[in-house]
Amino acid sequence: MRLGLPALAAWGTSLVLLGCSVRTSLITAVTAAVIMALLAFHRGRFRPSGQGGRSSRAGMARGGDRRRWGGDRGQLLRSGWRRLEGGLEAGWGNVLLAVLGCVAAVAGAVAFRVHAVSTGPVAELAARRAAVTVEMTLTGDPRILPGHRGLVRRDRVIVEGSAERVETSGARFTTMAPVVVFAQGADWVALLPSQRIRVRGRLGPADPGELTAGILLVREPPEVLSGPSPPQRVAAALRAGLRDAAAVLPPAERGLLPGLVVGDVSLMEEQVKNDLKTAGLSHLTAVSGANLAVIAGAVIAVGRVAGLPLAVRAILAVTAMLGFAVVARPSPSVLRALVMGSMAAVAMGTGRSRDGVAALSATVLGLILFDPALAREYGFALSVFATGGILVLAPRWRDRMALRMPRWVAEAIAVPCAAQAAVTPLLVLMSGELELVAIPANLLAGPAVAPATVLGFAGSVVAPVSVEAARWLVRPAGYAVGWIIWVARQAAGLPAATLPWPGGAIGLLLLGLTAGVAWFLLRRAAWRLMVCAVAAGLVLAVVLIRPIVASWPPPAWLLVSCDVGQGDALVLNTGRARAVVIDAGPDPVSVDRCLRALGVRQVPLIILTHPHFDHVGGLDGVFQGRAVGAVVVSPGHEPRQESARVSADLGRRRVPEWVAFPGMAWNLGPVSLRVLGPAAEAVPAGPGEGAMANNASIVIHVRWPAGSALLSGDVETEAQAELLRRGLPKADILKVPHHGSARQDPAFLAATGARAALISVGADNDYGHPAPLTLNRLRGLGMRVYRTDQGGDLAIVADHGHLAIVPRGP
């Protein structure tokens, strides 16, 4: 506690003052320093030389007090002052002085850093949103944020740097100011930390509380002025070697292994990321003290087997951790992990959790003083809380459980439980949910982390010398990584894998009350058994009874319109866990989740109606763990960027690509499909962005024994009129074109003869879909409208020889 309180005071001070003015920070620093000086002066002046002196001085004080004070009031004040003096003399005075000193030091550091970023040419130009040319040194890795702008994929890139020279309107400034760059383009992805670049863009003010002088918006590719530093160059070569060696693994394992070993998530699939997050395993892809502990532990174990003395083993462990830090790139997060890992090693080596807590407190204090901005980073807080939970809670829980089971089993259970219990309050603040499957998922995945990390790190070191030898090391690591992926996938697919929970202060209060009630009930053996029985009943109800009562998909389902947001993704059941997929929506996670719920394991045919992002962006999710026979694409190639990306992806996967034409047909189990359009001749484009691609959408007529449906892609009025001219078959159900936009031909809608209309649309979308005019027209024609933004997944089922629609619910 004597180190923990100053560390917490420093953390809290930085957390609060980062959002305040420089003046407030300076006042706080001066006030804390003055109070500390007064207390130190008082202690030095009245420090007793011995027990006798203390008694004599106490007697004099009492005599003086009697003369100065009278009655109960004087007695109360004298008693309180004696308690304060006794507390200061008992040792807590040092703690109070340390707390005040840390508050003063951190407040001064925050004042200096805030003043540095809020003044100077960069901050002034950012306030004016000036166009500038900047020469800067990158201080972090470029981070890719997947996304789209309009109809095509537009990945954004974020990278941090230090501006050194700034030019604007003929003026030139030399400075050293931190900035954050927002850019687009593949040229940014290959950049490495420590490289110097020149860019042109527009400055903007940073968010309050951020130690950043400004935000730089860049549209052009960077001009590289110098290469990376030697450590960064070595790290890049080793990381590239690991990626090359992992190329022999399946796609999911190929992407996760570099992320698990060195935090390189550039190849990781979005679905794997989502599964890890849902299962509470996303921390595995962030370089942490655990990675360093695994590497150091492996080196120490080898040294012990070789009979090396303790000092040599310690040197080798430190060398291995430093080498790992180079491979993972010496960024602030990696250096923080290096320090955290060292602190955990201290506690593990001494066998005393208090040593670990003291070391952790000292580490937090040093890091906050070095970089006050860490106080507002969730990653830093999660790392500290998890380490603290392992140091404080895990030993006690392990010792109690060891009375009923082997000690190694107790420790394997106690460590993830303690870490999860410690970080749960932060997770409630971050995401407003509880990860119910996190503890069992970490228990199951934990044994595979160490071999995957050690073999992957060895592969990265060996790869620059021999890629083939590195692949032999990576192959067994792939089995370990595959196990982690399987655990994450199964855990994420469980009912109630995450439990919605109120966020903010209310959520924390409710969590505290729940934990207090649980602690009170679990203290007594009889109540403990009752609570365990109730918990077991709830688990059985969620896992077994809920899927039966609220089963999905409904029996005899024929087609499901997946709720993928603003996009299209349709699944046609062909029997025996197989289905035809028509469009994939914008998000691979959403379409994969839909296919999982439907139990689809094979996809003999994918039909992509047209190459707009909201129809092809989620294609990776369809391929996730499923065999795909062939893909049918539209004869239109607009927009060319998305069309080329899809073709390249299919070529990489070695999946046949066919071009649709009218009359193309398939009979797959109970369903028959026939292509109605687009016509061979060019369809005139309408107004608006992407109208040409929309009018070239593949239109399909689907027939079952119980009825039929018309799946019309995004065709607009021009293509609808052409379909009418060429003859349009009747259908019981219409998939409304273009998410229910206003560009609908009333004659086309009437000619379908449909009794029900499906609209796949995102809630509160920016396009105003579905248009009120279209909804009125559909209802005027006697169609009942079903929308994915209101009903969730929509299933067409066979009901006594007719078709019916069953919403899953939002």
Side-chain angles (χ1 to χ4, degrees):
M1 290 297 294
R2 295 181 179 181
L3 275 175
L5 288 178
L8 290 175
W11 195 346
T13 302
S14 180
L15 184 67
V16 173
L17 293 181
L18 281 173
C20 300
S21 64
V22 175
R23 181 180 180 182
T24 303
S25 299
L26 288 176
I27 292 174
T28 303
V30 171
T31 303
V34 169
I35 296 175
M36 182 184 68
L38 291 175
L39 287 177
F41 174 76
H42 173 79
R43 294 191 67 203
R45 182 176 180 181
F46 296 101
R47 184 181 297 277
S49 58
Q51 185 65 33
R54 179 186 304 172
S55 302
S56 175
R57 186 165 59 254
M60 294 173 61
R62 284 194 296 271
D65 286 341
R66 290 191 187 97
R67 290 189 297 270
R68 190 178 299 109
W69 298 93
D72 293 341
R73 181 182 178 187
Q75 183 67 27
L76 181 62
L77 292 174
R78 288 195 300 273
S79 175
W81 183 253
R82 283 197 299 272
R83 287 194 187 96
L84 177 60
E85 283 187 324
L88 294 176
E89 292 174 358
W92 286 101
N94 293 333
V95 177
L96 182 56
L97 290 175
V99 167
L100 291 170
C102 291
V103 169
V106 171
V110 171
F112 175 78
R113 296 289 295 274
V114 172
H115 176 74
V117 300
S118 60
T119 59
V122 174
E124 295 175 1
L125 292 171
R128 299 190 342 235
R129 302 183 184 274
V132 295
T133 299
V134 180
E135 292 184 11
M136 59 186 298
T137 299
L138 301 184
T139 57
D141 282 306
R143 290 173 292 159
I144 301 176
L145 297 181
H148 65 99
R149 182 180 179 184
L151 306 174
V152 298
R153 180 187 298 270
R154 293 284 178 87
D155 292 339
R156 293 174 295 166
V157 178
I158 300 177
V159 62
E160 298 175 354
S162 176
E164 298 170 354
R165 292 183 181 179
V166 181
E167 298 179 15
T168 179
S169 302
R172 177 177 297 182
F173 305 95
T174 300
T175 182
M176 189 66 67
V179 295
V180 177
V181 178
F182 286 80
Q184 295 177 352
D187 296 316
W188 289 87
V189 179
L191 296 177
L192 298 175
S194 75
Q195 282 189 278
R196 292 187 71 250
I197 61 173
R198 180 186 290 115
V199 293
R200 285 180 290 274
R202 185 173 297 275
L203 281 170
D207 293 334
E210 297 290 337
L211 292 180
T212 303
I215 294 174
L216 184 60
L217 305 178
V218 179
R219 296 184 179 275
E220 301 176 1
E223 177 185 351
V224 179
L225 302 178
S226 67
S229 63
Q232 295 289 352
R233 192 177 295 113
V234 171
L238 295 176
R239 291 159 72 97
L242 178 58
R243 290 194 296 268
D244 292 340
V248 297
L249 302 178
E253 288 83 348
R254 182 191 313 153
L256 179 57
L257 181 61
L260 181 69
V261 176
V262 295
D264 181 4
V265 296
S266 58
L267 300 178
M268 190 180 303
E269 297 178 349
E270 288 297 322
Q271 184 57 56
V272 175
K273 290 182 184 179
N274 185 73
D275 287 346
L276 293 173
K277 179 180 180 298
T278 304
L281 297 173
S282 58
H283 61 89
L284 297 179
T285 60
V287 176
S288 65
N291 301 74
L292 296 159
V294 168
I295 299 299
V299 172
I300 290 173
V302 173
R304 182 175 296 172
V305 172
L308 298 177
L310 180 61
V312 176
R313 296 202 301 267
I315 293 174
L316 290 177
V318 172
T319 303
M321 286 195 292
L322 290 174
F324 179 84
V326 171
V327 176
R329 289 195 182 155
S331 62
S333 61
V334 174
L335 297 179
R336 183 182 73 217
L338 180 61
V339 176
M340 289 292 181
S342 302
M343 296 306 101
V346 168
M348 185 171 56
T350 60
R352 298 175 57 191
S353 62
R354 281 190 296 180
D355 292 343
V357 174
L360 176 63
S361 302
T363 302
V364 171
L365 182 58
L367 289 173
I368 291 294
L369 285 170
F370 176 74
D371 185 6
L374 289 174
R376 290 197 169 191
E377 290 189 9
Y378 272 115
F380 176 73
L382 289 170
S383 177
V384 173
F385 276 51
T387 305
I390 292 172
L391 294 176
V392 176
L393 301 177
R396 293 173 172 81
W397 294 357
R398 175 200 60 198
D399 294 340
R400 297 197 64 175
M401 288 188 291
L403 301 176
R404 299 177 178 84
M405 62 185 69
R407 187 176 180 83
W408 66 271
V409 176
E411 186 160 7
I413 296 175
V415 169
C417 289
Q420 188 65 29
V423 302
T424 295
L426 289 176
L427 296 176
V428 167
L429 281 176
M430 290 172 58
S431 58
E433 61 185 19
L434 295 178
E435 298 174 345
L436 301 183
V437 298
I439 291 176
N442 277 275
L443 285 173
L444 293 172
V449 174
T453 302
V454 172
L455 292 172
F457 179 65
S460 68
V461 174
V462 173
V465 180
S466 172
V467 175
E468 191 58 36
R471 286 174 176 170
W472 282 103
L473 292 170
V474 162
R475 282 188 177 94
Y479 291 109
V481 171
W483 168 255
I484 296 173
I485 293 173
W486 184 86
V487 169
R489 187 177 181 86
Q490 300 305 314
L494 289 174
T498 57
L499 179 67
W501 195 268
I506 296 177
L508 284 181
L509 179 61
L510 181 59
L511 182 65
L513 291 175
T514 304
V517 171
W519 176 80
F520 178 78
L521 293 176
L522 293 176
R523 291 188 63 188
R524 299 188 178 185
W527 290 1
R528 190 181 307 142
L529 290 175
M530 181 177 65
V531 170
C532 290
V534 172
L538 290 175
V539 170
L540 290 175
V542 170
V543 176
L544 299 179
I545 300 177
R546 180 185 173 186
I548 297 174
V549 176
S551 61
W552 187 264
W557 71 278
L558 303 174
L559 179 149
V560 168
S561 177
C562 300
D563 181 12
V564 293
Q566 184 66 18
D568 272 5
L570 306 172
V571 185
L572 284 80
N573 187 11
T574 61
R576 294 182 297 180
R578 297 185 302 174
V580 173
V581 175
I582 301 177
D583 288 331
D587 178 28
V589 174
S590 299
V591 70
D592 178 64
R593 184 187 297 119
C594 181
L595 292 172
R596 281 195 212 182
L598 298 174
V600 175
R601 293 190 294 271
Q602 289 184 322
V603 181
L605 185 66
I606 299 176
I607 300 176
L608 301 177
T609 60
H610 61 295
H612 277 169
F613 185 83
D614 59 338
H615 292 251
V616 302
L619 189 58
D620 287 343
V622 182
F623 281 93
Q624 184 67 35
R626 300 176 187 88
V628 175
V631 176
V632 177
V633 299
S634 167
H637 297 291
E638 294 293 339
R640 295 190 178 276
Q641 176 182 334
E642 284 301 297
S643 179
R645 187 185 63 82
V646 169
S647 295
D649 186 31
L650 297 179
R652 179 175 57 84
R653 299 178 187 273
R654 298 180 180 179
V655 174
E657 179 181 359
W658 302 333
V659 178
F661 57 86
M664 204 176 205
W666 301 268
N667 292 311
L668 300 169
V671 61
S672 300
L673 298 89
R674 183 166 63 93
V675 174
L676 303 180
E681 59 273 13
V683 176
E689 183 183 12
M692 180 176 293
N694 288 340
N695 282 330
S697 293
I698 301 174
V699 178
I700 303 168
H701 189 257
V702 182
R703 180 169 293 281
W704 303 277
S708 61
L710 181 65
L711 312 180
S712 52
D714 277 3
V715 291
E716 300 184 10
T717 53
E718 297 82 10
Q720 293 171 15
E722 177 63 21
L723 288 169
L724 268 177
R725 187 185 66 80
R726 299 177 63 239
L728 189 67
K730 297 288 185 179
D732 298 298
I733 296 175
L734 169 67
K735 201 289 292 184
V736 180
H738 201 195
H739 321 291
S741 73
R743 301 201 73 239
Q744 310 290 337
D745 186 340
F748 171 83
L749 299 178
T752 63
R755 296 178 290 105
L758 303 181
I759 301 179
S760 182
V761 65
D764 301 323
N765 62 85
D766 297 331
Y767 304 97
H769 295 165
L773 175 62
T774 299
L775 294 177
N776 291 334
R777 285 174 175 171
L778 293 172
R779 294 187 180 113
L781 292 170
M783 299 187 202
R784 185 171 180 179
V785 177
Y786 296 86
R787 298 165 49 173
T788 56
D789 62 331
Q790 296 178 351
D793 295 344
L794 304 174
I796 299 177
V797 300
D799 182 23
H800 299 91
H802 300 282
L803 297 182
I805 297 178
V806 179
R808 185 179 187 181

